[in-house]
Amino acid sequence: MPAILEEISTFRDDYSEGAHPAILAALLESNRTQERPYGADEHSNAARRLICARLGCSPSEAAIHFVPSGTAANRLCIAACLRPFEAVITLDAGHIVAKEAGAIENTGHKTILVPPERHTGKLVPAGIEKAVAQHSFHPHSPRPRLVYLSNASENGTVYSRSELHALSATCRRLNLLLMIDGARLGVALRSPAAQGLTLRDLFQLTDLFWIGGTKCGALLGEAIVVRNRVIADDFILHLKQHGALLAKGRVLGVQFEELFKDPTPSSSSSSSSSEDCLYFRLADHANEMARRIGSLFESRGYALAAPVQSNLLFVAVPRSLADRLGERFGVYVWEEREEDVVVRLVTSWATEKLQVDKLAAWLESIECVVD
Amino acid sequence: MPAILEEISTFRDDYSEGAHPAILAALLESNRTQERPYGADEHSNAARRLICARLGCSPSEAAIHFVPSGTAANRLCIAACLRPFEAVITLDAGHIVAKEAGAIENTGHKTILVPPERHTGKLVPAGIEKAVAQHSFHPHSPRPRLVYLSNASENGTVYSRSELHALSATCRRLNLLLMIDGARLGVALRSPAAQGLTLRDLFQLTDLFWIGGTKCGALLGEAIVVRNRVIADDFILHLKQHGALLAKGRVLGVQFEELFKDPTPSSSSSSSSSEDCLYFRLADHANEMARRIGSLFESRGYALAAPVQSNLLFVAVPRSLADRLGERFGVYVWEEREEDVVVRLVTSWATEKLQVDKLAAWLESIECVVD
Amino acid sequence: MPAILEEISTFRDDYSEGAHPAILAALLESNRTQERPYGADEHSNAARRLICARLGCSPSEAAIHFVPSGTAANRLCIAACLRPFEAVITLDAGHIVAKEAGAIENTGHKTILVPPERHTGKLVPAGIEKAVAQHSFHPHSPRPRLVYLSNASENGTVYSRSELHALSATCRRLNLLLMIDGARLGVALRSPAAQGLTLRDLFQLTDLFWIGGTKCGALLGEAIVVRNRVIADDFILHLKQHGALLAKGRVLGVQFEELFKDPTPSSSSSSSSSEDCLYFRLADHANEMARRIGSLFESRGYALAAPVQSNLLFVAVPRSLADRLGERFGVYVWEEREEDVVVRLVTSWATEKLQVDKLAAWLESIECVVD
Amino acid sequence: MPAILEEISTFRDDYSEGAHPAILAALLESNRTQERPYGADEHSNAARRLICARLGCSPSEAAIHFVPSGTAANRLCIAACLRPFEAVITLDAGHIVAKEAGAIENTGHKTILVPPERHTGKLVPAGIEKAVAQHSFHPHSPRPRLVYLSNASENGTVYSRSELHALSATCRRLNLLLMIDGARLGVALRSPAAQGLTLRDLFQLTDLFWIGGTKCGALLGEAIVVRNRVIADDFILHLKQHGALLAKGRVLGVQFEELFKDPTPSSSSSSSSSEDCLYFRLADHANEMARRIGSLFESRGYALAAPVQSNLLFVAVPRSLADRLGERFGVYVWEEREEDVVVRLVTSWATEKLQVDKLAAWLESIECVVD
């Protein structure tokens, strides 16, 4: 479905490309009007209505704000939730822990680290319970108050509907808020492993979460959804204070409007996927490309370090192959192990089948050479 | 020069429109490649080279970073300059004082307020000297360490070359850093009142400053220029920490590349203005439209509350006229005075001559009615 | 009443002396037991009960915490009251503005400055109203949420009962919290100008305030009183986080217990003052010494720059006399004026009548010389 | 050596008692003078000279400041060392991690957690190296810049001279600053396990460290020693900003003067220990009491969970005995294990031999009962 991109050659990440062409077309089309600034424009409002329809709520029940980056979303969401001595519980490999240059601590709050469930790399209720128990030394312990997780997780696994129900129930029982980083929410929700988890579920089960645009077809932008009334109150002031409220908020509104609007009849062909909005069609494509690559490696006898549940793949290969994969396809070495290394491959809305075919052919050729 | 925009009807501000069409064209054209993320892309690098050429320095002499908003630029620049107990001196009407939701204080730093020079609303050396003198009660006073000013100023006046030389000399004498908020730097530098002040001058006279894109034709984005080596060191980590480092940094790089690239021969017609880059051509247009509106009001006997030096106009009108101007042209009431009110009108790259003519005709008609 | 101190020779401030001897005696007496740490000791609890009796509330109605310094009290009280984008309104000459090294901003919050009522240097309702009006530009203005004042004020004037009622009513009408810095609360409440204002009034009229010990006989320590239930919740965690929760909390508890316990019969002589607790007896003494010094200067023809309402005096004298006063009695020059200078003299619990007599004699002698 | 305290009955911690009587005597003796405020008093200066003599430096080579609490010392030292995106490396069981209510993060900085060396619970160079390696993902990782450790450690073990040399060398090689939390520095330096480590060594090997008074005989107070010139510059402003600069700084200065002054001839009896200053004599006593208790438990067949190297003991006992020890001697259960529990016992300058004898007798009696 994506237009042919001339120079897509890597599987390095899902943000090396520009925007899906429909996004740019929408920006062009909407460019010739004056709009209210700071997120009060017609496109942002339309995007809010479209997202609310998916959440199953009226616009007054959800505060929806658009921000330019995932780090901005995470830092201001967390700052909005916590009193000064309150802390956020997260997986020790969580994105906010060591990949955002200390953004969370810069807002004054501690991250309390929890080890993941083995094999899946996911957060489980027992981890939360233990973290709370270990921080009950009053008045010395920072107070756990918020649980952060990302879906998909850092290793590409996704949370199922029942897993998220259990986590949400644990949080409510322990008087904890729950927030989800949805940088890759599209691929997570469209994964078979999600077992039907929907935006509506997320809205019911969390206090706030965000829907990633940057990694799902947009030029930039993430949509924060706040259900908790206390946190939603004056939320826009957090955006402004953190430098995340764009004067031309339309830039973000137009993109999310395009991503979530109903598909036009002309675009709705026979395939079931095309019946959904652009956001999920792009996610489906990325997932499908990842599954193909996963099968490709598995069929050639390489082990996957984690099940392929979204657009991230982790494959164990010999060091020599990893080096060549890096040179040819830009993939990262994720983990050095004793006998082999794990490389990460990432697909996106822009990954072309042709590129996957090239990987297949290359793998075949390189093995001849290596052998 | 700007394309005809269908629905430009207000003089409310300079960020109600989308981007200049050339910007969108450049985004479209560059969309079909993969680029390095986080500001290491070819377009950002090209924009850096173009800006350095204007600064009269080599790329290694200036750290140039692109961020999505002016508030982000201000908060991270200030945070990058100061130790915890150090403070920033600013005009009491400075943009960072009461229009950024406490962003500066949120980074832990105090704003020390200085009254402006009467009539011009500008910062003068005496103000800085007095602020330093008033904060010498050791170890109780927060330590003044940075001077912030915006050019153009909040009331549209601009700093001349000699004024900026004097401010810079004062700062260096008092061991203060100097930073300039250039949200409207284009119109400021192209103002006759600037007396030839250039980007090269700014680079020599300050420790860091930023070049506004949002209010000068871009969809979004500001370019931070850091000359001070100590501050430049690892500056990108400040961006990341504040949520201002875009994964698809190309989005900002492409725009500044387009704004600062040399004009193509075909576009360079006879007018002198067209010989410069898009950034300054757009600024010239906004300034020209503002001058026309200024003359329009003056010729009809209305007093300008400040000289028209950039794209902001402040006109004293009767309350009844202010109301009608608000309804028809979206202008803000800026100040309530005893006999009249001051309204603010703003032009931009997108303001059309036709729209100014409409204002002229409307003014004539409305006066007949009012009279 | 205070014991003769050997080397009391200045009127520089009210914290150059040690503690009142009764305080040290109480520390000695209580030293030989083990106590619960972190403010849960018997002496802190006794002090809480004594203070609650003065507030007219039960111990469960007020959260009372003891901290080592006034800056600690101010910074953690303000941090406890505000969400990240909320700001504190204060007089532009307020103690937190330029005398605490940016402590408030270090907690992330802006101080919104209000000019004082002329002559008195006090905060008035109109100032609060104007500050709120000037910060209503949503979502750009930081949000005023708390009003801070100190009683006595920085220039030694004090708030009357009716003034504080009016300020409190204004705050409640405008949805603002009210906090009082009581570094010199003793002398303020015992001033005739207070018109009967009591601790009980303060408790009713504010959300939180603190009772200064450092400047009223203690070695160190201030007692924070929080009435607002939301703010009181987990308040101790703010103390711990700011480094203001002493392991040996008894050190502060013992002192406030001594300051607020009922006078023993033996010490209650005929004077009405001696019927009150040590805290107020010491305040009465400081006020009395200040009044004597005020009369002394007035009788010699010097003008007081502000009425003497507490233990701070501001006297206008010739420059030559100011210099000699500084040399002999350690007083500060507070303000340089065209024809003269204003010097500040401060009395305390430790100021001896003999010392005031010495000042009188010295003034007489010096005038002979000067004349 | 300590005076008989009437109600010393627990081994709960080393801050349940008041001050050593000599400290109170010094406060009494020095009370009757006026002193310069804010740490510029004669006693603070005398204490600085005494400490400098131990550091082997002139007063101009070390910035020495006195603060009221260990949490204050830690938070302001760390804030003084780091730029906003810089982080502090610490053991995962480090005191600053989960026992200071998020104080470090409240200053904006991340704590990077390192597991301890097995058995000793101490930080080792390999841990530091690994933490640095894991935070090299530029520009996403927070930047490790400071290493924090406490000596004695949280489990009572102490660093030897050679261990600290190795840690210091590692820090310097990796461009890391080194700081030591010396809440229990006295007992650590006087431990045989320290292998002769001295204050002079600490001064040479670190950038800054602090000497704990609260847990070694003082009423309150810790002495921060800063050797690094860049950090030392204006260090007092950090104290002021954090609320840790006492107006009556003499309160802290007097105590450290008393703790570190040379022993008077009359007090220097035959014992070698009495030849040293009060600070180390008190530490010796606490260590000696701990060793006795350790032998007591060992001789009765209980296992020590960690070697007794300072004033903290961790003993594995049956659950039933732990409960009774808690009731009778106020000790904490430190760790629940499958077959038994680990209890913590703490001695201090105030622990009396008589009390240890009571413990011995009680243990004997209780075993009869239990058996």
Side-chain angles (χ1 to χ4, degrees):
Chain A
M1 175 195 39
I4 302 295
L5 298 208
E6 284 158 7
E7 300 179 38
I8 300 300
S9 59
T10 82
F11 297 102
R12 188 170 49 223
D13 55 47
D14 38 12
Y15 40 80
S16 286
E17 300 92 15
H20 186 273
I23 297 282
L24 284 173
L27 282 169
L28 259 179
E29 195 177 345
S30 66
N31 194 53
R32 296 163 68 85
T33 58
Q34 283 185 322
E35 290 284 345
R36 305 293 304 181
Y38 297 112
D41 62 283
E42 283 314 306
H43 299 286
S44 294
N45 285 333
R48 287 184 185 103
R49 284 190 298 270
L50 290 165
I51 291 171
C52 279
R54 302 233 161 217
L55 302 175
C57 73
S58 72
S60 69
E61 291 172 295
I64 299 179
H65 297 277
F66 305 99
V67 299
S69 79
T71 303
N74 281 336
R75 66 174 278 150
L76 76 86
C77 281
I78 291 172
C81 286
L82 302 182
R83 287 195 289 169
F85 53 76
E86 291 177 341
V88 52
I89 294 173
T90 169
L91 284 175
D92 53 19
H95 193 77
I96 56 173
V97 176
K99 293 184 184 154
E100 293 189 334
I104 306 314
E105 290 81 5
N106 182 254
T107 71
H109 300 290
K110 184 178 187 61
T111 49
I112 294 177
L113 306 188
V114 171
E117 188 186 44
R118 215 173 295 186
H119 304 307
T120 71
K122 288 190 277 187
L123 185 67
V124 289
I128 298 172
E129 287 161 1
K130 192 171 172 193
V132 169
Q134 287 174 334
H135 288 81
S136 57
F137 183 37
H138 185 77
H140 303 271
S141 302
R143 172 77 50 85
R145 173 63 175 146
L146 172 66
V147 169
Y148 161 97
L149 60 87
S150 68
N151 193 22
S153 77
E154 288 290 290
N155 73 352
T157 52
V158 309
Y159 289 84
S160 71
R161 200 156 181 274
S162 59
E163 285 171 338
L164 212 61
H165 266 277
L167 288 163
S168 178
T170 300
C171 288
R172 288 177 183 169
R173 182 164 48 81
L174 297 173
N175 193 29
L176 299 169
L177 300 168
L178 177 59
M179 146 182 186
I180 293 182
D181 166 342
R184 295 188 176 99
L185 192 59
V187 293
L189 294 183
R190 301 299 279 201
S191 170
Q195 295 177 1
L197 184 70
T198 63
L199 285 172
R200 183 185 292 247
D201 293 327
L202 290 184
F203 186 61
Q204 295 300 325
L205 297 174
T206 70
D207 292 278
L208 72 171
F209 69 96
W210 56 273
I211 304 170
T214 300
K215 292 173 180 168
C216 197
L219 266 184
L220 80 163
E222 334 294 333
I224 298 171
V225 176
V226 189
R227 181 169 183 246
N228 184 301
R229 290 304 178 91
V230 174
I231 301 168
D233 178 43
D234 285 323
F235 197 85
I236 194 172
L237 281 158
H238 293 290
L239 269 79
K240 181 67 190 169
Q241 188 174 55
H242 288 251
L245 185 63
L246 298 184
K248 297 183 179 175
R250 63 197 290 160
V251 175
L252 304 177
V254 165
Q255 295 183 80
F256 276 91
E257 186 183 13
E258 187 65 25
L259 286 168
F260 281 96
K261 77 180 181 191
D262 292 329
T264 54
S266 63
S267 78
S268 111
S269 67
S270 57
S271 102
S272 66
S273 158
S274 68
E275 286 166 21
D276 213 327
C277 63
L278 181 61
Y279 188 72
F280 288 122
R281 296 201 316 268
L282 297 182
D284 284 340
H285 175 79
N287 282 348
E288 168 63 18
M289 293 300 101
R291 274 193 297 274
R292 287 193 188 204
I293 297 174
S295 301
L296 190 62
F297 277 98
E298 281 193 306
S299 70
R300 305 197 73 86
Y302 299 104
L304 297 175
V308 179
Q309 297 185 341
S310 62
N311 70 326
L312 304 180
L313 291 103
F314 297 86
V315 191
V317 296
R319 158 57 78 187
S320 62
L321 181 55
D323 289 345
R324 286 167 177 258
L325 272 167
E327 282 164 29
R328 175 62 185 84
F329 294 100
V331 304
Y332 287 123
V333 167
W334 204 251
E335 190 187 352
E336 310 263 359
R337 305 199 299 197
E338 289 206 5
E339 310 115 54
D340 55 15
V341 298
V342 175
V343 294
R344 187 186 81 162
L345 293 94
V346 187
T347 63
S348 82
W349 67 271
T351 305
E352 298 180 54
K353 286 168 189 165
L354 181 62
Q355 177 72 352
V356 178
D357 293 342
K358 283 184 187 169
L359 172 62
W362 182 87
L363 267 181
E364 185 151 13
S365 69
I366 205 74
E367 284 174 353
C368 298
V369 174
V370 172
D371 296 348
Chain B
M1 175 194 38
I4 302 295
L5 297 208
E6 284 158 7
E7 300 180 40
I8 300 300
S9 59
T10 82
F11 297 103
R12 187 171 49 223
D13 55 46
D14 39 11
Y15 39 81
S16 286
E17 299 92 16
H20 185 273
I23 297 281
L24 284 173
L27 282 169
L28 260 178
E29 195 176 345
S30 66
N31 194 52
R32 297 162 68 84
T33 59
Q34 283 185 322
E35 291 283 345
R36 305 293 305 179
Y38 299 112
D41 62 282
E42 282 314 305
H43 299 286
S44 294
N45 285 334
R48 288 186 183 100
R49 285 189 299 270
L50 290 165
I51 291 172
C52 278
R54 302 233 160 217
L55 303 174
C57 73
S58 72
S60 68
E61 292 174 295
I64 299 180
H65 296 277
F66 305 100
V67 299
S69 78
T71 302
N74 281 335
R75 65 175 278 152
L76 75 87
C77 282
I78 292 171
C81 288
L82 303 181
R83 287 195 288 168
F85 53 76
E86 292 177 340
V88 52
I89 294 174
T90 169
L91 284 175
D92 54 17
H95 192 75
I96 55 171
V97 176
K99 292 183 186 156
E100 292 189 334
I104 306 314
E105 290 81 5
N106 182 254
T107 72
H109 300 290
K110 183 178 186 63
T111 50
I112 294 177
L113 306 187
V114 171
E117 188 185 44
R118 216 173 295 186
H119 304 308
T120 72
K122 287 190 280 188
L123 185 66
V124 289
I128 297 172
E129 287 161 0
K130 192 170 172 194
V132 169
Q134 288 174 334
H135 288 81
S136 57
F137 182 37
H138 184 76
H140 304 271
S141 302
R143 173 76 50 85
R145 173 63 176 146
L146 172 67
V147 170
Y148 161 97
L149 61 86
S150 68
N151 192 24
S153 78
E154 287 291 290
N155 73 352
T157 52
V158 309
Y159 290 84
S160 72
R161 200 156 179 276
S162 59
E163 285 170 337
L164 212 60
H165 266 277
L167 288 164
S168 178
T170 301
C171 288
R172 287 177 184 170
R173 182 166 49 79
L174 298 173
N175 193 29
L176 299 169
L177 301 168
L178 177 59
M179 147 182 186
I180 293 182
D181 166 342
R184 293 189 177 99
L185 191 58
V187 293
L189 294 183
R190 302 297 282 200
S191 170
Q195 295 175 2
L197 183 70
T198 63
L199 285 172
R200 183 184 292 248
D201 294 326
L202 291 185
F203 186 61
Q204 295 298 325
L205 298 172
T206 69
D207 292 278
L208 72 171
F209 70 96
W210 56 272
I211 305 170
T214 300
K215 292 173 180 168
C216 196
L219 266 184
L220 80 163
E222 335 292 334
I224 299 171
V225 176
V226 189
R227 181 170 182 246
N228 184 301
R229 290 304 177 93
V230 174
I231 301 168
D233 178 43
D234 284 324
F235 196 85
I236 194 172
L237 280 159
H238 293 291
L239 268 80
K240 181 65 191 170
Q241 187 174 57
H242 288 251
L245 183 63
L246 297 185
K248 298 183 179 174
R250 65 197 290 162
V251 175
L252 304 176
V254 165
Q255 295 183 79
F256 276 92
E257 186 183 13
E258 186 64 26
L259 286 168
F260 280 97
K261 77 179 180 190
D262 293 328
T264 55
S266 64
S267 79
S268 112
S269 68
S270 56
S271 103
S272 66
S273 157
S274 69
E275 286 167 20
D276 213 326
C277 63
L278 180 61
Y279 188 73
F280 288 122
R281 295 203 313 271
L282 298 182
D284 284 340
H285 176 79
N287 281 348
E288 169 63 19
M289 293 300 102
R291 276 194 296 274
R292 286 192 188 204
I293 297 174
S295 303
L296 189 62
F297 276 99
E298 283 195 304
S299 71
R300 305 197 74 88
Y302 299 104
L304 297 175
V308 179
Q309 297 185 343
S310 62
N311 70 326
L312 304 181
L313 291 105
F314 297 86
V315 191
V317 297
R319 159 57 78 185
S320 62
L321 182 54
D323 290 344
R324 286 166 177 259
L325 272 167
E327 282 164 28
R328 174 63 185 84
F329 293 99
V331 304
Y332 287 124
V333 168
W334 203 251
E335 190 186 353
E336 310 263 358
R337 306 200 297 197
E338 288 207 6
E339 310 116 54
D340 55 14
V341 297
V342 175
V343 293
R344 186 186 82 161
L345 293 94
V346 187
T347 62
S348 82
W349 66 272
T351 306
E352 297 180 54
K353 288 171 190 166
L354 181 63
Q355 177 72 351
V356 178
D357 293 342
K358 282 185 188 168
L359 173 61
W362 181 87
L363 267 181
E364 185 150 15
S365 69
I366 205 74
E367 284 173 354
C368 299
V369 175
V370 171
D371 296 347
Chain C
M1 175 194 37
I4 302 293
L5 298 208
E6 285 158 7
E7 301 180 39
I8 299 299
S9 60
T10 83
F11 297 103
R12 188 170 48 223
D13 54 48
D14 38 12
Y15 40 82
S16 286
E17 299 92 15
H20 186 273
I23 298 281
L24 284 172
L27 282 169
L28 260 179
E29 194 176 346
S30 66
N31 193 52
R32 297 164 67 84
T33 58
Q34 282 185 323
E35 289 284 344
R36 303 295 304 180
Y38 299 110
D41 62 282
E42 282 315 305
H43 300 285
S44 294
N45 285 333
R48 287 185 184 102
R49 284 189 298 271
L50 290 165
I51 291 172
C52 279
R54 302 234 162 215
L55 303 175
C57 72
S58 72
S60 68
E61 292 173 295
I64 299 179
H65 298 276
F66 305 100
V67 299
S69 78
T71 302
N74 281 334
R75 64 173 280 151
L76 75 86
C77 281
I78 291 173
C81 286
L82 303 181
R83 287 194 290 168
F85 52 78
E86 292 178 340
V88 52
I89 293 174
T90 168
L91 284 175
D92 54 19
H95 193 75
I96 56 171
V97 176
K99 292 182 186 157
E100 293 189 334
I104 306 314
E105 290 81 5
N106 182 254
T107 71
H109 299 289
K110 184 179 186 63
T111 49
I112 294 177
L113 307 186
V114 171
E117 188 186 43
R118 215 174 295 187
H119 304 309
T120 71
K122 287 190 278 187
L123 185 67
V124 289
I128 297 172
E129 286 161 1
K130 192 170 173 193
V132 169
Q134 287 174 334
H135 288 81
S136 58
F137 182 36
H138 184 75
H140 303 272
S141 303
R143 173 77 50 86
R145 173 64 175 144
L146 173 66
V147 169
Y148 161 97
L149 60 86
S150 68
N151 192 25
S153 77
E154 287 291 290
N155 74 352
T157 53
V158 310
Y159 289 85
S160 72
R161 201 157 179 276
S162 59
E163 284 170 338
L164 212 59
H165 266 277
L167 287 164
S168 179
T170 300
C171 288
R172 287 175 183 172
R173 183 166 48 80
L174 297 173
N175 193 30
L176 299 169
L177 301 167
L178 177 58
M179 146 180 186
I180 293 182
D181 167 343
R184 294 188 176 100
L185 192 58
V187 291
L189 293 183
R190 301 298 282 200
S191 170
Q195 295 174 2
L197 184 69
T198 62
L199 285 172
R200 183 185 292 248
D201 293 327
L202 290 185
F203 186 61
Q204 294 299 325
L205 297 173
T206 69
D207 293 277
L208 71 175
F209 69 97
W210 56 272
I211 304 169
T214 300
K215 293 172 180 170
C216 196
L219 266 185
L220 80 162
E222 334 294 332
I224 299 171
V225 176
V226 189
R227 181 172 183 246
N228 183 302
R229 291 301 178 95
V230 174
I231 301 168
D233 177 43
D234 284 324
F235 196 85
I236 194 173
L237 281 159
H238 293 290
L239 269 79
K240 181 66 191 168
Q241 187 174 56
H242 288 251
L245 184 65
L246 298 185
K248 298 184 180 175
R250 65 199 288 162
V251 175
L252 304 176
V254 165
Q255 295 182 79
F256 277 91
E257 187 184 11
E258 185 65 25
L259 286 168
F260 281 97
K261 76 180 182 191
D262 292 330
T264 55
S266 64
S267 78
S268 112
S269 69
S270 57
S271 102
S272 66
S273 159
S274 69
E275 288 166 20
D276 213 328
C277 62
L278 180 62
Y279 188 74
F280 289 122
R281 295 203 313 271
L282 297 182
D284 284 340
H285 176 79
N287 281 347
E288 170 61 18
M289 293 300 103
R291 274 193 298 273
R292 286 192 188 205
I293 298 174
S295 303
L296 189 62
F297 278 98
E298 282 195 307
S299 71
R300 305 195 76 87
Y302 300 103
L304 298 175
V308 179
Q309 297 185 343
S310 61
N311 70 326
L312 305 180
L313 291 104
F314 297 86
V315 190
V317 296
R319 158 59 78 184
S320 62
L321 182 55
D323 290 344
R324 286 166 177 261
L325 271 166
E327 282 163 29
R328 174 63 183 85
F329 294 99
V331 304
Y332 286 124
V333 168
W334 204 252
E335 190 187 353
E336 308 264 359
R337 305 198 298 196
E338 289 207 4
E339 310 116 55
D340 55 14
V341 299
V342 175
V343 294
R344 186 186 82 161
L345 294 93
V346 187
T347 62
S348 81
W349 65 272
T351 306
E352 298 179 55
K353 287 171 190 164
L354 181 62
Q355 176 74 351
V356 178
D357 294 341
K358 283 186 187 168
L359 173 63
W362 181 88
L363 267 181
E364 184 148 13
S365 69
I366 205 72
E367 284 173 355
C368 300
V369 174
V370 171
D371 297 346
Chain D
M1 175 195 37
I4 302 294
L5 297 209
E6 284 156 9
E7 300 179 40
I8 300 299
S9 59
T10 82
F11 298 102
R12 187 170 49 223
D13 54 48
D14 39 11
Y15 39 82
S16 285
E17 298 91 16
H20 185 273
I23 298 281
L24 283 173
L27 281 169
L28 260 179
E29 194 176 346
S30 67
N31 194 53
R32 296 165 65 87
T33 60
Q34 282 185 322
E35 290 284 344
R36 305 292 305 179
Y38 299 112
D41 61 282
E42 282 315 305
H43 300 286
S44 294
N45 285 334
R48 287 185 184 102
R49 284 189 299 270
L50 291 166
I51 292 173
C52 279
R54 302 233 160 216
L55 302 175
C57 72
S58 73
S60 68
E61 292 174 293
I64 299 180
H65 297 276
F66 305 100
V67 299
S69 77
T71 302
N74 281 334
R75 63 173 282 151
L76 74 87
C77 281
I78 291 173
C81 287
L82 302 181
R83 287 195 291 167
F85 52 77
E86 292 177 341
V88 53
I89 293 174
T90 170
L91 285 175
D92 53 19
H95 193 76
I96 56 172
V97 176
K99 291 183 185 154
E100 293 188 335
I104 306 313
E105 290 82 4
N106 182 254
T107 72
H109 299 290
K110 184 178 187 62
T111 49
I112 294 177
L113 307 187
V114 171
E117 189 185 43
R118 216 173 294 186
H119 303 308
T120 72
K122 287 190 279 189
L123 185 67
V124 289
I128 298 172
E129 287 161 2
K130 191 171 173 193
V132 169
Q134 288 174 334
H135 287 83
S136 58
F137 182 37
H138 184 77
H140 303 271
S141 302
R143 173 76 50 86
R145 173 66 176 144
L146 172 66
V147 169
Y148 161 98
L149 60 87
S150 67
N151 192 23
S153 76
E154 289 290 290
N155 73 352
T157 53
V158 310
Y159 289 84
S160 72
R161 201 157 179 274
S162 60
E163 284 170 337
L164 212 61
H165 266 277
L167 287 164
S168 179
T170 300
C171 288
R172 286 175 185 172
R173 183 166 48 80
L174 297 174
N175 193 31
L176 298 169
L177 301 167
L178 177 59
M179 145 181 188
I180 293 182
D181 166 341
R184 293 188 177 99
L185 192 58
V187 291
L189 294 182
R190 302 298 279 200
S191 171
Q195 295 177 1
L197 183 70
T198 63
L199 284 172
R200 183 185 292 248
D201 294 326
L202 289 185
F203 186 60
Q204 294 300 326
L205 297 174
T206 70
D207 292 277
L208 70 173
F209 70 96
W210 56 272
I211 304 170
T214 301
K215 293 173 181 169
C216 196
L219 265 185
L220 80 162
E222 334 293 332
I224 299 171
V225 176
V226 189
R227 182 172 182 243
N228 184 301
R229 290 303 178 92
V230 174
I231 300 168
D233 178 43
D234 284 325
F235 197 85
I236 194 173
L237 281 159
H238 293 290
L239 268 79
K240 181 65 190 170
Q241 187 174 55
H242 288 252
L245 184 64
L246 297 186
K248 298 184 179 174
R250 65 197 291 161
V251 176
L252 304 177
V254 165
Q255 295 183 80
F256 277 91
E257 186 184 14
E258 186 64 25
L259 286 168
F260 282 96
K261 77 180 182 191
D262 292 328
T264 55
S266 64
S267 78
S268 112
S269 69
S270 57
S271 104
S272 66
S273 157
S274 68
E275 287 167 19
D276 212 329
C277 64
L278 180 62
Y279 189 73
F280 289 122
R281 296 201 315 269
L282 297 183
D284 284 340
H285 175 79
N287 282 347
E288 169 64 16
M289 292 300 103
R291 273 193 298 275
R292 287 190 187 207
I293 297 175
S295 302
L296 189 62
F297 277 98
E298 283 194 305
S299 70
R300 307 194 74 85
Y302 299 103
L304 297 175
V308 179
Q309 299 185 341
S310 62
N311 71 326
L312 304 181
L313 291 104
F314 297 86
V315 190
V317 297
R319 158 59 75 187
S320 62
L321 181 55
D323 290 344
R324 286 166 177 259
L325 271 165
E327 281 163 30
R328 174 62 184 84
F329 294 98
V331 305
Y332 286 124
V333 167
W334 204 251
E335 190 187 350
E336 308 263 0
R337 305 198 299 196
E338 288 206 7
E339 309 116 55
D340 54 15
V341 298
V342 175
V343 294
R344 187 185 82 162
L345 292 94
V346 188
T347 63
S348 81
W349 66 271
T351 305
E352 297 179 55
K353 287 170 190 166
L354 181 63
Q355 176 72 352
V356 178
D357 293 343
K358 283 185 188 167
L359 172 62
W362 181 88
L363 267 182
E364 185 151 12
S365 69
I366 205 74
E367 284 173 355
C368 299
V369 174
V370 171
D371 296 346

